[in-house]
Amino acid sequence: MKKHGTEEKLLEATLRLISEKGYLGATTREIAQGAGVTELTLFRHFGSKERLFEEVLSRYTFLPKLKKLLPELEELPYDKALRILGIRFLETLKERKPLVKIMLSEVNLYPDKIRFVYNGFIDELIQTLGGYFKSLQKREVIRRFSPEIAARAFLGMIFSYFLSEEIMAGRNIDKKEMEKMIRKFTDIFIRGTLKIGLKKSTIDKLVGRRTKLIRERADV
Amino acid sequence: MKKHGTEEKLLEATLRLISEKGYLGATTREIAQGAGVTELTLFRHFGSKERLFEEVLSRYTFLPKLKKLLPELEELPYDKALRILGIRFLETLKERKPLVKIMLSEVNLYPDKIRFVYNGFIDELIQTLGGYFKSLQKREVIRRFSPEIAARAFLGMIFSYFLSEEIMAGRNIDKKEMEKMIRKFTDIFIRGTLKIGLKKSTIDKLVGRRTKLIRERADV
DNA sequence: TTTTATAGTAAGTAATTACTTACAATAATG
DNA sequence: CATTATTGTAAGTAATTACTTACTATAAAA
């Protein structure tokens, strides 16, 4: 008479198996077996495979714990704040790896359901980080640029790294490597966003552009 | 008596349907129908569904046209070179969108086959871009950092943007928006990598770090 | 003790799947 | 014209799928 435990086990097994074999590849029989119950029990609790899947999506969301990190960050130096945020982000991705896998492989089959989860996650993230950038711009620590685009850039570096290593290559990013990569990413990003008195001519010279010429559009 | 046309049509239908519905979701009947032939014709040509899929993977690879772009880049100013490369990269992703989708959603089902395609693509890309960075480091345009990691960072920003917009949100990135985003990404990246005489104390002050204190490790 | 909620056993449903077999139609090639 | 390669039609295979029905077992709650 342990209804609660049963549903939990079913949901966990579903998350695991669908993330491994995809929605169509994970059969209800397998899922039930993985949860240690009968297939019939699965249907008695969730009615259909699709409803079970929906339950998984609504239950295992990404914790928005990054949001409440924002006030703490404001008191830290810029570089350290970014590093902490980067590491937290990467840790969250690792924790929620099965969910990330599901989102990537099931967008086509269930666009609405997946996008709902994805947007809730990404929007919040970009807003949070973008807000942090805005406050730094007011304090004249970093220069003027679109905070949202910069947030995309920063998070994008990290996510692609995660995708490449953990999802595609199937490797495990350990803590040491993680910190090393985040350090290098943030290093580039910080110098790229800092408000330093850089004369345009200095950049031009370094970059190898002939300043006198009429600037042509990037006609690629 | 047009064998060639038949196989081509089958391969194209396979690429399209698997990218839309996944390997398990795309049935041989549908694929045959999509190619305008009988299901039997499909099996006569490729023997099995899996072999047909393998053929698709080996045929529609990412063109390594970025590699031969390298010599041209060396003659351009740094910022323009990066922008061109970024745009080319994004264009390639858009052209090969079905293949990207397949790679993302089928890594779990066919890890080896997918990783083969993926690695061939990503390695070449990182090597190419990394090589470009190396030469710029020799010419003292940009500062010292790991060229491969920087390449990952740059490409990662763009890929995540593509993933978010085109794959997850299902939107189409038009040329105008594409150039705008690439411009902003490269802007951050270039300032982040340029070799400018930046004193550590200047950075520290801006960043808000108290330089006198003992530097603590990023104990996150 | 009786009831009730939750589980299991066992058997079976209809639909769909990848794939096959036997045979006929067609059109280019020799 | 005869051959040969390619496609089609039609029917069917065995396996698997999500899901159902009828009945039993068990343990907590009443």
Side-chain angles (χ1 to χ4, degrees):
Chain A
M1 220 167 184
K2 32 181 178 168
K3 172 179 177 172
H4 218 65
T6 303
E7 295 199 347
E8 290 284 316
K9 279 190 287 180
L10 275 167
L11 289 167
E12 278 169 35
T14 307
L15 177 73
R16 202 191 80 239
L17 282 164
I18 290 190
S19 87
E20 285 170 8
K21 312 181 147 200
Y23 178 80
L24 294 173
T27 70
T28 49
R29 194 175 302 166
E30 271 178 319
I31 294 173
Q33 197 182 359
V37 296
T38 328
E39 201 180 353
L40 177 54
T41 303
L42 183 155
F43 285 103
R44 277 201 271 237
H45 279 274
F46 296 97
S48 73
K49 188 185 180 183
E50 191 169 345
R51 278 237 36 220
L52 172 60
F53 181 51
E54 287 172 8
E55 267 296 306
V56 167
L57 288 183
S58 68
R59 185 153 317 200
Y60 298 98
T61 52
F62 294 88
L63 318 183
K65 60 180 173 186
L66 291 176
K67 192 171 195 171
K68 67 183 201 319
L69 198 66
L70 187 56
E72 305 175 34
L73 294 185
E74 306 253 19
E75 295 169 13
L76 290 170
Y78 182 35
D79 59 344
K80 191 163 185 177
L82 265 195
R83 281 207 306 272
I84 290 180
L85 199 137
I87 286 178
R88 285 282 159 82
F89 178 50
L90 195 45
E91 276 172 349
T92 306
L93 289 175
K94 283 189 64 167
E95 270 172 36
R96 306 287 164 176
K97 188 169 169 180
L99 200 56
V100 175
K101 277 189 179 182
I102 289 178
M103 278 171 39
L104 288 173
S105 49
E106 245 60 57
V107 215
N108 282 297
L109 284 181
Y110 298 94
D112 297 335
K113 294 170 193 170
I114 299 291
R115 276 170 197 162
F116 184 76
V117 180
Y118 175 77
N119 290 332
F121 174 53
I122 205 74
D123 286 350
E124 181 146 35
L125 251 169
I126 289 186
Q127 289 308 319
T128 303
L129 186 51
Y132 174 62
F133 287 149
K134 253 178 222 163
S135 91
L136 282 187
Q137 282 174 335
K138 272 185 192 151
R139 283 156 53 193
E140 300 219 308
V141 172
I142 60 180
R143 58 196 179 85
R144 294 259 152 234
F145 49 76
S146 161
E148 280 81 16
I149 292 180
R152 282 195 116 91
F154 182 70
L155 298 171
M157 295 189 298
I158 297 173
F159 183 81
S160 280
Y161 169 60
F162 170 78
L163 187 73
S164 189
E165 289 296 301
E166 294 256 354
I167 307 273
M168 299 305 289
R171 274 192 287 273
N172 178 50
I173 308 176
D174 62 25
K175 204 176 178 187
K176 195 164 185 174
E177 195 197 339
M178 186 163 128
E179 285 176 1
K180 176 190 153 196
M181 291 298 288
I182 296 284
R183 193 176 290 269
K184 306 219 175 195
F185 285 158
T186 50
D187 181 51
I188 292 177
F189 189 83
I190 283 171
R191 285 177 179 251
T193 51
L194 231 41
K195 182 168 184 133
I196 33 183
L198 247 184
K199 281 174 217 140
K200 205 176 148 304
S201 61
T202 315
I203 296 186
D204 282 359
K205 209 167 77 181
L206 258 171
V207 141
R209 201 191 297 119
R210 284 143 299 176
T211 329
K212 297 113 209 167
L213 285 177
I214 299 120
R215 284 281 290 286
E216 65 275 82
R217 274 184 55 80
D219 40 352
V220 194
Chain B
M1 221 166 184
K2 28 175 181 170
K3 173 178 178 172
H4 219 66
T6 303
E7 296 199 347
E8 289 284 317
K9 279 189 287 180
L10 275 167
L11 288 168
E12 278 170 35
T14 307
L15 177 72
R16 202 190 79 238
L17 283 163
I18 291 189
S19 87
E20 285 170 9
K21 312 180 146 201
Y23 177 80
L24 294 173
T27 70
T28 50
R29 193 175 301 167
E30 271 178 319
I31 293 173
Q33 198 181 0
V37 295
T38 328
E39 201 180 353
L40 177 54
T41 302
L42 183 155
F43 284 103
R44 277 201 272 236
H45 278 276
F46 297 97
S48 73
K49 187 186 180 182
E50 191 169 345
R51 276 238 37 219
L52 172 61
F53 182 51
E54 287 172 7
E55 267 297 305
V56 167
L57 287 183
S58 67
R59 186 154 316 200
Y60 298 97
T61 52
F62 294 87
L63 316 183
K65 60 180 174 188
L66 291 176
K67 192 170 195 172
K68 67 183 200 325
L69 198 66
L70 188 57
E72 304 175 34
L73 294 185
E74 305 252 20
E75 295 169 14
L76 289 170
Y78 182 36
D79 59 343
K80 190 164 186 176
L82 265 195
R83 281 207 306 271
I84 290 180
L85 200 137
I87 287 177
R88 284 282 159 81
F89 178 51
L90 195 46
E91 276 172 349
T92 306
L93 289 175
K94 282 188 64 166
E95 270 172 35
R96 306 287 163 174
K97 189 169 168 180
L99 200 56
V100 176
K101 277 189 178 183
I102 289 178
M103 279 171 41
L104 288 173
S105 49
E106 245 63 53
V107 216
N108 282 300
L109 284 180
Y110 298 93
D112 298 334
K113 295 171 192 169
I114 299 292
R115 276 169 196 162
F116 185 76
V117 180
Y118 175 77
N119 290 332
F121 175 53
I122 205 73
D123 286 350
E124 181 146 36
L125 217 70
I126 289 185
Q127 289 307 320
T128 303
L129 187 51
Y132 174 62
F133 287 148
K134 254 177 222 162
S135 92
L136 283 186
Q137 283 174 335
K138 273 186 192 152
R139 282 157 52 193
E140 301 220 307
V141 173
I142 60 180
R143 59 196 178 86
R144 294 259 153 233
F145 50 75
S146 161
E148 280 80 17
I149 292 180
R152 282 195 116 92
F154 182 70
L155 299 171
M157 293 188 300
I158 297 172
F159 183 82
S160 279
Y161 169 60
F162 170 78
L163 186 74
S164 189
E165 289 297 299
E166 294 257 353
I167 308 274
M168 298 305 288
R171 275 193 286 273
N172 178 50
I173 308 176
D174 61 26
K175 203 177 177 187
K176 195 164 185 173
E177 196 197 338
M178 186 163 128
E179 284 176 1
K180 176 190 153 195
M181 291 297 289
I182 296 284
R183 193 177 290 270
K184 306 218 175 195
F185 284 158
T186 51
D187 180 52
I188 293 176
F189 189 83
I190 284 171
R191 285 178 180 250
T193 51
L194 230 42
K195 180 165 185 139
I196 34 184
L198 247 185
K199 281 175 218 141
K200 205 175 148 303
S201 62
T202 315
I203 295 186
D204 281 359
K205 209 167 76 181
L206 260 171
V207 141
R209 201 191 299 118
R210 284 144 302 176
T211 330
K212 297 116 207 163
L213 286 177
I214 299 118
R215 285 280 290 286
E216 64 275 82
R217 272 184 55 82
D219 41 352
V220 192

